Amino acid sequence: MKLNGELTDSLNFYMGHEPHDLIAKYGSPLYVYNERIFREKCRDFKHLCKYPKFVVNYAIKANSNLTLLKIAKQEGLRAEVTSIGEIELLLAAEYDACDIFFITNNATTAEMQYAIDKGITFSADSLSQLDRYGRLNFGGKVAARFNPGIGSGHHQGVVTGGEETKFGINESEIPQVKEILAKHNLTLIGINQHIGSYILDIKIFIDSVKRMLNIAANFDTLEFIDLGGGFGIPYHKQEGERPLDIAALGTALCEFMGDFSAKYGKQLTFMVEPGRYIAAESGVLLGNVTAIKYNAAKYIGTDLGFNVLMRPLLYDAYHGIEVYRNTTEETANTAQPPFPIKNEIVHIVGNICESGDYIAKNRNLPIIQEGDVLGVLDVGAYGFSMTSQYNQRLRPAEILIREDGAIQVIRRRDSYADLLRNMRVD
Ligand code: LLP
C-alpha cells in the first residue's frame, strides 16, 4: 500500500509490481527503472527541433547502464562521454565511433591517443590541451570547448561556465586557438560548450547559445556546434513544480540553427547533450526503513546511505520521497491506522558512519514505521552512476520494468566476492 504514492501511481511507474516484493526478490537498496519513461524522455529531445541536422548526444555520465545505453541508441540518440571507460561501455552497447563525442577535461596523452586510434571526435578544453593534441595528431581534426562566459546550475560544484571554473577556452583566446591550429595543421571541425547542470531558465541557456554563435563565426571550417546539456527536471514535482518548457526551448533553438547556418553559408550540425533530462525521472531508489529514533529531531533510519545516493550529501540535493507499507507484515498491526494519513517532519538518514549521511532533511512525510519501504524519486540520473562501495557496502542491483511490465535485472547486485576481486588476498 502506498501512503503517498500519487506520483508513481499517476505514471504507472511500477506497472502493478509491489515495491516490497521487488526488494524481497532483488535485494535492498534497489534501483528500479521504467523503460517507457526513459524512452519518452529520449523522444522529447529527439523531436525537440525540426532542424534537419539536429543531433542529441546522451551524456552517459548520468546513467551508463548498458541496457539503457542500448535503448537510447534505439531511440536515435548518440552519446557524449568524458572517459575511456564510458567509450568502452558504448562500444559494448554497439555504438559506432562516429556517434561518440569525447569531451575531455585535462586529458592524458593516452586518452588522446585512444581517441585518435578509435577515430572518435575529441574536444580539447584548454589551449595547452589543444597544443598537446596537435603534437599527437598533426593534420588531424579536432573540436574545442569554449567557455561562453555564462554559467548556471543547481550548485556551485556543477556550474561549468563563467569565470570561476576550470572548463573551456575563453573567447579572448581565439587568436591563440588559431595559432595552435595552424601550427599543427589541425582542422577545427566543431566547438562545444556546457554551462552547467540543472538549468530551468531557458533564457540563460539561450544567452549562452548566442555567445557560442558569436564564437563560431570566427572559424570557417566548422561542421558542428554543440550547445551542451544541463536541462533541468522538476525534483519538487510532488509539490506541483512544473517541468522545463521544452517546446519553447525547441522553437528558440531551431530558429537559431536555421539562421546561423544561413549566415555561415553551410548547414551545420547542431548538437545538445542532455544527461539528467533523459535519465532522472525514469528511476526510483527503493530502500528499507530499519530504525526510528529521536534526538533533537526524529530520524528515520534506512539502508539508503550516501554510498547508494550521493546527491543529497554532495549538493544538498532534493529528492521526493514516497512511503510504501506492506500491510501483510506483522508490523502493520502495531502501527497507527493508515487512514487518515498523518504527516510529520523527519530526517531520513542512511547507514553510513558519517553525520552527513542524509537522504532528506526536515521532510514532511506520512508517519513512517519500521518495515516500510521508501521510494526516492528521480534518481535515474547521477544516482547509480555515483554509487560507491564505501564502508564496504554492496552496490545495489538495477532492474528495468519493461514496457510490457516484465522485469529484467540489468545489473546484478554486488557480491561480497566483488569487494575482494581486485585486491591482493595472499
Ligand atoms: N555535457 C557535459 C560536457 C557535461 O559535463 C555534462 C554534465 C553534461 C553534458 C550533462 O549535463 P546534464 O544534462 O545531465 O545536466 N553529478 C551532478 C551533475 C554533474 C553534471 C556534470 N556534467 C548532479 O548529480 O547533479
Side-chain angles (χ1 to χ4, degrees):
M1 175 183 53
K2 301 195 181 78
L3 299 193
N4 65 336
E6 294 81 2
L7 193 90
T8 48
D9 280 350
S10 72
L11 296 168
N12 192 17
F13 185 91
Y14 295 107
M15 297 185 74
H17 299 284
E18 280 298 323
H20 275 86
D21 296 343
L22 294 177
I23 60 171
K25 187 152 182 203
Y26 303 104
S28 178
L30 178 68
Y31 273 93
V32 185
Y33 304 105
N34 180 296
E35 177 181 12
R36 175 180 41 82
I37 298 173
F38 186 82
R39 285 189 188 273
E40 276 167 17
K41 302 299 170 185
C42 292
R43 288 173 198 167
D44 281 355
F45 261 85
K46 184 70 190 157
H47 304 303
L48 190 71
C49 278
K50 293 215 167 58
Y51 180 79
K53 287 187 160 181
F54 174 65
V55 166
V56 184
N57 291 333
Y58 169 43
I60 79 161
K61 56 180 76 64
N63 189 320
S64 47
N65 184 287
L66 214 56
T67 305
L68 298 181
L69 296 182
K70 287 183 183 167
I71 295 173
K73 181 172 189 288
Q74 284 166 8
E75 292 296 336
L77 272 50
R78 300 188 199 169
E80 181 272 327
V81 299
T82 191
S83 70
I84 291 179
E86 289 187 342
I87 297 173
E88 289 288 320
L89 288 185
L90 286 168
L91 296 177
E94 294 176 348
Y95 282 64
D96 295 326
C98 61
D99 289 339
I100 301 173
F101 187 22
F102 193 8
I103 300 184
T104 61
N105 179 237
N106 305 327
T108 61
T109 301
E111 287 172 316
M112 292 181 184
Q113 193 60 52
Y114 176 96
I116 295 163
D117 294 346
K118 290 264 195 277
I120 290 171
T121 307
F122 178 92
S123 168
D125 83 332
S126 62
L127 296 176
S128 75
Q129 287 262 297
L130 187 62
D131 194 40
R132 187 201 296 219
Y133 184 84
R135 291 198 297 275
L136 281 178
N137 196 20
F138 184 86
K141 295 178 174 179
V142 70
R145 176 170 179 166
F146 278 89
N147 179 339
I150 297 176
S152 184
H154 65 82
H155 183 273
Q156 195 50 41
V158 298
V159 175
T160 50
E163 281 179 12
E164 311 255 313
T165 102
K166 62 174 177 166
F167 294 99
I169 298 169
N170 293 324
E171 194 172 349
S172 60
E173 293 172 314
I174 289 176
Q176 290 97 304
V177 169
K178 289 187 172 178
E179 277 168 33
I180 296 169
L181 293 172
K183 181 166 110 188
H184 302 294
N185 195 24
L186 289 172
T187 305
L188 187 74
I189 58 166
I191 60 168
N192 57 292
Q193 69 162 12
H194 175 68
I195 64 168
S197 192
Y198 197 70
I199 302 162
L200 283 173
D201 178 2
I202 291 175
K203 194 181 162 302
I204 294 182
F205 189 76
I206 296 295
D207 286 348
S208 74
V209 171
K210 289 182 188 158
R211 292 199 185 194
M212 273 300 269
L213 296 180
N214 281 337
I215 292 170
N218 288 279
F219 301 99
D220 54 14
T221 52
L222 297 181
E223 292 168 15
F224 69 85
I225 299 176
D226 177 351
L227 303 173
F231 311 102
I233 63 116
Y235 284 106
H236 289 266
K237 56 170 86 62
Q238 283 171 310
E239 295 106 64
E241 188 187 9
R242 305 288 309 146
L244 182 71
D245 186 352
I246 62 160
L249 176 72
T251 310
L253 289 183
C254 209
E255 223 177 282
F256 282 114
M257 295 172 191
D259 290 355
F260 186 80
S261 284
K263 261 198 272 166
Y264 199 73
K266 169 169 153 194
Q267 198 174 56
L268 293 174
T269 295
F270 277 90
M271 300 170 172
V272 288
E273 300 159 5
R276 185 188 315 272
Y277 188 96
I278 300 297
E281 288 167 277
S282 65
V284 171
L285 173 62
L286 298 179
N288 271 312
V289 174
T290 51
I292 310 283
K293 79 191 267 184
Y294 297 85
N295 200 345
K298 183 168 178 181
Y299 287 82
I300 308 296
T302 72
D303 54 4
L304 297 167
F306 68 77
N307 57 315
V308 294
L309 184 65
M310 189 79 178
R311 303 192 69 254
L313 167 67
L314 201 56
Y315 313 116
D316 212 8
Y318 180 100
H319 285 271
I321 289 176
E322 291 189 350
V323 184
Y324 313 131
R325 182 152 303 161
N326 191 353
T327 40
T328 61
E329 267 198 12
E330 245 174 65
T331 49
N333 304 326
T334 59
Q336 82 288 344
F339 296 107
I341 292 168
K342 284 199 202 130
N343 274 31
E344 64 180 351
I345 309 279
V346 291
H347 297 330
I348 311 283
V349 295
N351 50 5
I352 295 290
C353 301
E354 297 193 25
S355 284
D357 186 30
Y358 278 86
I359 288 289
K361 274 186 196 168
N362 293 317
R363 200 60 72 78
N364 187 8
L365 287 168
I367 294 176
I368 294 171
Q369 62 189 40
E370 275 181 52
D372 286 346
V373 164
L374 302 186
V376 186
L377 306 179
D378 301 320
V379 296
Y382 307 112
F384 190 93
S385 65
M386 296 176 74
T387 57
S388 76
Q389 292 173 329
Y390 184 47
N391 280 193
Q392 300 315 307
R393 293 197 175 274
L394 305 182
R395 276 175 306 190
E398 293 178 286
I399 63 169
L400 179 66
I401 307 179
R402 288 287 190 180
E403 286 181 295
D404 63 2
I407 289 187
Q408 253 181 5
V409 178
I410 58 172
R411 181 186 175 109
R412 68 161 175 74
R413 189 175 158 77
D414 277 355
S415 67
Y416 289 107
D418 289 330
L419 297 181
L420 289 166
R421 195 144 48 107
N422 295 326
M423 271 190 272
R424 186 183 164 126
V425 286
D426 59 359

